[in-house]
Amino acid sequence: MIEQYQRLDKRVQKWLFNQGWPDLREIQKQAIPPILAGDRDVLISASTAAGKTEAFFLPACSAIAEEKHGFGILYISPLKALINDQYRRLESLCEMLDMQVTPWHGDSLQSKKKKARSNPSGILLITPESLESLLVREAGWVKQSFTPLKYIVIDEFHAFIGTERGQQLLSLLTRLEHITNRISNPIPRVALSATLGELEKVPLSLRPNKSLPCETITSSKHQSTIKVQVKGYLEPVNITANDSRPLAEQQICQEIFRLCRGDSHLVFANSRSRTESIAAQLCDLCEQHVVPNEFFPHHGSLAKELREDLEARLQKETLPTTAICTMTLELGIDIGKVNSVLQVTAPHSVSSLRQRLGRSGRRNSPSILRILISENELSDKSNLVDGLRLELVQSLAMIRLLIVSNWFEPADTEQMHLSTFLHQILAVIAQWGSVRADQLYSLLCQQGTFKEISIQHFKQLLTHMGTVRLIQQLNSGELVLGLEGERITNSYTFYAVFKTPEEFRIVSGSKMLGTLPVDSLILKDQHIIFGGRRWKVTDIDDDKKVIYVTSTKGGKPPKFNGSGMSIHDKVRQEMLNIYRTGDYRIEAGNQKIDFVDNIGRQLFQEGAYFFKEADLEKNPIYQNGKHCYIFPWMGDKVVNTLTILLIRSGFVCNSFGGVIEINNSNADDIKNSLLDIAKHGIPNETELAKILSIQQKLIEKYDDYLPENLLTEGYGRKAFDSTAARQWILSNLT
DNA sequence: GACCTGCTGCGGGGTG
C-alpha cells in the first residue's frame, strides 16, 4: 500500500519535513484519500488541537496547487479571530506552494482585499457575513472568481448547526453553487467540528438536499484521562446584608486563588456579571498578598484590545495566567492548553462542558475539571425547591452523561428560521435586482435549506412582505425591493442575521474598555466593576451612547442582559435517576468512584432526603400550603408546554429551573385539569403560542416583519412540544 | 436567574 503521505504534493511533503513532525496524526492520514478524491463531502470530527485544520489543508492544497486562476478553496469561519489565526498558520505552507491566501472580513486590510479582487486565486478565508455582502454587492465578480472552486471548508461547524446563522450559511452555499452553475455538479463541502452528539445526523445538516455523499472521519484515539471533582459551598441566608458579596462566592474566589495561582487555568463563570465579580475579587486577593495580578476577565462585552492582550498572554505561556471567562474561550481561538478548567455554577449543557474540558490537559497530562457549586443554607423559610439542591444535582447529572453515557445534546434542526428566511428573500432579490416567486422558492426551499417552509407559508410571507413595503411585484410578475426593502438592504447592518442590542461604550480617558446594553441602568456617580477593575461613572452621554468612568475602589458588576438557555430532556431525566437511586457515583470496574467533596456530599444527602420526604418519585405534583410545585424532570420544551396549558386553564403559575410553581392551587385540581386536557385533545404548538402577546414572540432580528400567524407558528415550534407533554401527563399522572 | 457571533463606503484629519 502506498504511504498516504506520498500522495501529497512534493512541496507539501517538504514543508512537513521542515516542521519536524514525527508523523502525521491518524485523522490526517485518513483524510487524504477522500479529500484528494474531491467527489464527496467530508466531516472531520475531533477535539480541539487534534490537527483537523491540517487534515484538510494538506491534501486540499496539494489538489489545487496547479490552479492559478480563481479561488481553489473557500474557508468559512464563525469568528474573525479564527480567520487571523488560520492565516498565520497557513502562511509558511502557502509560501512553499507559491499560493495566495486572503483573509477577508470586516477588519482585514483593504490592500489584501484589493489584491485578491484583481487577481483571485488560492485560498479565501471569510465569514458568512462578508460572503453575504460579496453576493449582494459583487455577484458578477463572485461568479467569475468562484467558478473554479474545488472545496468549501467550514470551521467550527458545530457552532452553526441549528442556529439562524447556520441557516444563512447553508443558504449562502446553495446560492454560491447556483451562481457558479454547480447545482448539478456540487462543490464538495468539508466540515471541521468538535466531537458532536448524534454524528450520523450531521451530514444532513451539511447538505440538506443530499446531492453528494458524505464521508465521516473521527479520531479513534482513546480519550486521555479525565479528573473530575465537584465541590460544594454553603451560602448563609439570614445574615443582614450590608452590600458585601455573597460569602460562598468569596470562599470560591479564595479556592480559585489557591488552586490557580502560579499556573494557567480557565474559570468558566456562566455570566458576564459573575465573571466580572470573580475577576475583581481575585485581583483584590493578589493585592492583599502583594503579588502581581494574574487573573483577568474575558467576555463578549469587553473591548477587543483587552481580550486580545489576555489571549496573547495565555498563548505565550511565559507568565502564569488565569482567565475568568464566559463561552468566549470555548471556541477554537488559539490559546494553547491550560493546566485545568474550573466551572463555577452548573454548566448549561453537556456539549459545552465537554468543549470546556477539552481546553485542559497539557502534554499527556490528564484533563482536570473542577465544578464549584454554592447552595443556600436552609432556614424555616426554605422550601422543597431549595432543599433539593437542584444546581448541584444538575452538575452531577451532566458529569455522568459526559463520562458514563458519552452523550451530549444534538442540535435542534426542526426549526423554521423564518426571520432568516425573510432575510434571504431580501438578499436574493437585492443580488439579482428582480426575481420570480417560483425561482425564489426553488432556490431557497427546494434546492436550498429552508425545508420546513411550505408553499402556503411562502405565499403568505410574500403577500405580507408586499404589505409592509419590503418588496413589490412588477406587472411582469417579477419581485423587486420595495421602499423599506431598499432601506434595509442598503445598510451595512443587513449582512448579519442575528440580533444585537443597542449598547453604550464604556470609556476611561481615551481608552475604550468595552460595551454595556442600554437597558443596564447605569447612573452617574455609580461604582461599577468592568474589565476586572473598579470604576466610578463620571458622566453619561445619552446621544453619543458613551459612559465615562474613572478608576476607583468598591463597586458591583453591572447588569448585562440575555435570554435563558434551555436544558435538554436527557439532563433532567438523569437528575431524576440520581434522586431515585440516591447515588451519583461512577462505576469503574467493581468499585464506585465518588467525585464530590464533603460539603458537596452533605448537600447531596439533603437533596436526596427532600426528594424522598416529598415522595416525588410517585407524586410529581407537590402541595406546600397554598402553593403547588410540579417536577416533570423533563427539558424546557415540555416544562413550557405544561406551564402554558395551566395558564390557559386559568391557573396562575410560572416556571424556573425546570420546576413549575402554581399559586393558590390544589394538587388534585391541577392533576385533573391536565388529565382532562390530555384525554380530550391537547392543543398544538401554534395554538398554544397564540396565548402569548406578539411582543413576547419577537425574538429574532426580522421577526417584526413577519405576519402574525407565521410568527406564532415559528415561536410555537421553538418553545413547545405538545406530543411530549401529553405523553408525560398520561404516564405520570395516572 | 441569563452566552456568543458580524457588517460598508466614504470623508476628514493626521503622518511620512
Side-chain angles (χ1 to χ4, degrees):
Chain A
M1 196 181 101
I2 317 168
E3 182 69 38
Q4 291 301 345
Y5 173 88
Q6 306 280 340
R7 300 184 58 195
L8 299 174
D9 187 283
K10 285 282 176 290
R11 291 161 292 178
V12 174
Q13 292 185 29
K14 191 174 165 199
W15 180 83
L16 277 167
F17 180 79
N18 289 348
Q19 299 305 300
W21 295 352
D23 196 6
L24 288 178
R25 305 263 181 91
E26 198 50 42
I27 53 161
Q28 293 168 343
K29 289 182 192 168
Q30 280 179 48
I32 292 174
I35 301 281
L36 284 180
D39 58 356
R40 65 198 90 164
D41 293 341
V42 182
L43 165 63
I44 305 176
S45 168
S47 63
T48 325
K52 293 189 288 278
T53 321
E54 287 76 12
F56 167 73
F57 276 109
L58 296 177
C61 285
S62 298
I64 66 154
E66 300 311 319
E67 297 275 346
K68 293 295 168 209
H69 301 287
F71 296 114
I73 297 173
L74 178 65
Y75 163 97
I76 301 173
S77 151
L79 301 176
K80 292 185 286 191
L82 211 53
I83 288 179
N84 299 341
D85 277 352
Q86 298 300 7
Y87 178 64
R88 278 194 292 273
R89 285 170 73 178
L90 283 169
E91 254 181 333
S92 70
L93 172 66
C94 289
E95 204 174 300
M96 190 76 97
L97 286 162
D98 194 24
M99 187 180 285
Q100 182 173 271
V101 191
T102 310
W104 190 300
H105 56 69
D107 301 337
S108 56
L109 289 174
Q110 283 296 331
S111 56
K112 292 212 173 82
K113 292 186 185 173
K114 229 176 224 168
K115 196 174 160 205
R117 207 179 253 124
S118 57
N119 174 33
S121 78
I123 306 172
L124 182 66
L125 312 172
I126 201 166
T127 59
E129 289 73 18
S130 284
L131 185 57
E132 180 74 81
S133 117
L134 286 179
L135 273 171
V136 169
R137 315 174 78 92
E138 304 181 52
W141 177 76
V142 169
K143 183 183 172 71
Q144 258 181 27
S145 46
F146 286 53
T147 296
L149 267 187
K150 274 208 160 161
Y151 304 98
I152 295 173
V153 56
I154 307 164
D155 207 350
E156 304 281 356
F157 188 59
H158 57 275
F160 285 113
I161 302 177
T163 66
E164 298 298 319
R165 214 175 168 209
Q167 199 69 7
Q168 176 191 28
L169 171 62
L170 288 176
S171 186
L172 284 166
L173 298 186
T174 317
R175 286 163 60 199
L176 201 58
E177 283 178 343
H178 181 257
I179 200 176
T180 54
N181 293 320
R182 298 287 295 274
I183 293 279
S184 55
N185 169 31
I187 309 163
R189 298 177 187 173
V190 179
L192 310 180
S193 174
T195 22
L196 283 158
E198 304 192 9
L199 205 60
E200 65 286 353
K201 283 189 185 165
V202 178
L204 197 60
S205 298
L206 181 59
R207 193 183 292 274
N209 71 10
K210 301 187 215 169
S211 58
L212 273 191
C214 181
E215 186 164 332
T216 300
I217 294 171
T218 46
S219 161
S220 58
K221 206 181 107 190
H222 201 267
Q223 251 175 25
S224 57
T225 330
I226 303 172
K227 285 189 176 175
V228 182
Q229 191 190 22
V230 175
K231 294 174 81 101
Y233 296 83
L234 205 54
E235 180 64 41
V237 285
N238 275 338
I239 294 174
T240 41
N242 49 8
D243 77 336
S244 71
R245 267 173 293 281
L247 196 70
E249 191 173 289
Q250 289 180 43
Q251 286 174 2
I252 285 174
C253 287
Q254 279 157 12
E255 178 75 354
I256 295 172
F257 185 80
R258 194 181 64 76
L259 287 167
C260 299
R261 216 180 71 78
D263 284 313
S264 288
H265 305 262
L266 294 181
V267 179
F268 288 95
N270 279 0
S271 79
R272 286 170 287 186
S273 186
R274 194 179 294 110
T275 297
E276 287 289 358
S277 170
I278 290 176
Q281 287 181 68
L282 286 163
C283 182
D284 292 349
L285 283 171
C286 286
E287 203 172 302
Q288 282 165 31
H289 289 80
V290 204
V291 293
N293 180 38
E294 54 184 74
F295 299 92
F296 305 93
H298 193 283
H299 57 75
S301 297
L302 209 58
K304 204 175 119 190
E305 247 179 78
L306 297 174
R307 289 163 62 169
E308 285 174 353
D309 287 350
L310 173 57
E311 288 158 23
R313 186 177 155 139
L314 274 166
Q315 203 182 343
K316 267 194 216 142
E317 299 187 9
T318 47
L319 292 170
T321 308
T322 291
I324 326 298
C325 56
T326 59
M327 64 174 285
T328 44
L329 288 182
E330 206 175 284
L331 279 180
I333 304 174
D334 202 358
I335 53 165
K337 291 257 178 181
V338 293
N339 298 77
S340 88
V341 166
L342 291 92
Q343 167 76 46
V344 182
T345 69
H348 292 305
S349 72
V350 181
S351 49
S352 97
L353 184 63
R354 190 185 168 100
Q355 282 274 99
R356 292 171 181 190
L357 181 64
R359 283 294 196 179
S360 102
R362 282 182 160 163
R363 291 168 215 98
N364 304 324
S365 53
S367 296
I368 300 173
L369 169 70
R370 291 187 180 89
I371 302 190
L372 313 181
I373 303 289
S374 82
E375 293 276 4
N376 287 335
E377 194 175 58
L378 299 178
S379 68
D380 26 325
K381 281 184 195 149
S382 309
N383 65 20
L384 177 65
V385 182
D386 297 312
L388 282 170
R389 307 313 194 181
L390 290 166
E391 187 162 353
L392 174 74
V393 175
Q394 183 180 316
S395 304
L396 300 176
M398 286 184 163
I399 287 175
R400 286 185 55 88
L401 289 169
L402 177 75
I403 295 176
V404 181
S405 319
N406 198 26
W407 175 90
F408 24 109
E409 295 85 355
D412 182 356
T413 52
E414 312 271 283
Q415 296 311 311
M416 297 172 79
H417 300 288
L418 286 159
S419 163
T420 300
F421 183 54
L422 182 138
H423 175 273
Q424 287 296 291
I425 291 175
L426 291 175
V428 171
I429 299 178
Q431 177 184 332
W432 297 101
S434 71
V435 64
R436 290 198 320 271
D438 61 307
Q439 293 172 319
L440 261 181
Y441 191 74
S442 157
L443 181 61
L444 296 179
C445 303
Q446 290 171 327
Q447 294 154 17
T449 177
F450 293 94
K451 299 287 179 207
E452 303 290 321
I453 311 270
S454 69
I455 289 268
Q456 286 71 26
H457 292 132
F458 181 61
K459 283 184 180 162
Q460 268 180 35
L461 182 57
L462 285 189
T463 308
H464 187 76
M465 285 175 76
T467 318
V468 294
R469 297 183 149 208
L470 285 170
I471 58 175
Q472 52 182 325
Q473 192 159 33
L474 300 178
N475 290 335
S476 61
E478 304 239 302
L479 302 170
V480 294
L481 291 174
L483 269 181
E484 183 68 358
E486 288 281 1
R487 190 185 68 78
I488 294 180
T489 55
N490 276 333
S491 161
Y492 75 96
T493 55
F494 174 65
Y495 306 113
V497 294
F498 51 88
K499 194 171 177 170
T500 35
E502 209 185 344
E503 291 173 322
F504 277 102
R505 280 179 301 142
I506 304 182
V507 173
S508 162
S510 60
K511 205 173 167 191
M512 156 66 164
L513 303 173
T515 59
L516 269 182
V518 287
D519 43 6
S520 50
L521 301 173
I522 296 292
L523 300 171
K524 191 164 180 289
D525 295 330
Q526 191 177 337
H527 288 221
I528 59 168
I529 295 176
F530 195 90
R533 313 234 152 217
R534 298 158 192 288
W535 311 92
K536 183 180 168 183
V537 176
T538 53
D539 201 9
I540 299 174
D541 188 330
D542 280 304
D543 296 328
K544 288 190 188 153
K545 297 271 176 291
V546 184
I547 297 171
Y548 296 95
V549 297
T550 174
S551 196
T552 188
K553 297 270 174 203
K556 280 192 221 170
K559 277 201 163 140
F560 295 85
N561 291 294
S563 57
M565 276 167 270
S566 60
I567 302 284
H568 195 276
D569 286 338
K570 191 112 178 172
V571 174
R572 297 255 164 76
Q573 291 281 292
E574 184 68 23
M575 289 171 72
L576 173 60
N577 189 31
I578 290 173
Y579 280 118
R580 262 189 197 144
T581 57
D583 195 357
Y584 54 81
R585 293 171 303 169
I586 292 176
E587 279 184 45
N590 47 15
Q591 48 176 327
K592 289 190 166 185
I593 314 276
D594 193 344
F595 52 92
V596 179
D597 78 337
N598 282 332
I599 297 181
R601 208 175 302 128
Q602 280 168 28
L603 288 169
F604 174 74
Q605 297 305 345
E606 283 175 3
Y609 170 82
F610 273 84
F611 182 86
K612 231 184 197 151
E613 275 299 288
D615 197 22
L616 289 181
E617 179 161 8
K618 292 204 190 72
N619 297 313
I621 306 180
Y622 176 78
Q623 179 100 43
N624 181 25
K626 287 194 288 185
H627 307 308
C628 281
Y629 298 91
I630 308 180
F631 295 86
W633 305 114
M634 292 293 281
D636 286 341
K637 271 192 184 183
V638 171
V639 174
N640 291 341
T641 311
L642 294 172
T643 308
I644 196 108
L645 284 171
L646 289 168
I647 289 174
R648 190 169 158 274
S649 306
F651 291 96
V652 178
C653 56
N654 61 69
S655 65
F656 178 67
V659 182
I660 306 166
E661 184 183 30
I662 307 108
N663 296 338
N664 300 314
S665 57
N666 145 327
D668 287 331
D669 291 348
I670 293 168
K671 187 172 164 176
N672 292 333
S673 170
L674 286 175
L675 275 172
D676 198 51
I677 295 167
K679 281 176 187 154
H680 296 96
I682 195 163
N684 68 24
E685 291 81 3
T686 309
E687 286 170 58
L688 292 175
K690 280 182 191 157
I691 299 166
L692 300 169
S693 72
I694 292 183
Q695 210 55 38
Q696 289 172 291
K697 290 176 276 199
L698 298 175
I699 312 282
E700 301 297 342
K701 188 172 176 190
Y702 295 105
D703 276 354
D704 37 6
Y705 288 106
L706 297 175
E708 192 180 341
N709 61 333
L710 288 190
L711 177 72
T712 303
E713 185 174 345
Y715 183 91
R717 280 216 210 184
K718 210 179 310 193
F720 305 125
D721 185 342
S722 299
T723 317
R726 177 170 184 271
Q727 187 66 46
W728 183 86
I729 295 168
L730 293 178
S731 42
N732 287 277
L733 300 184
T734 46

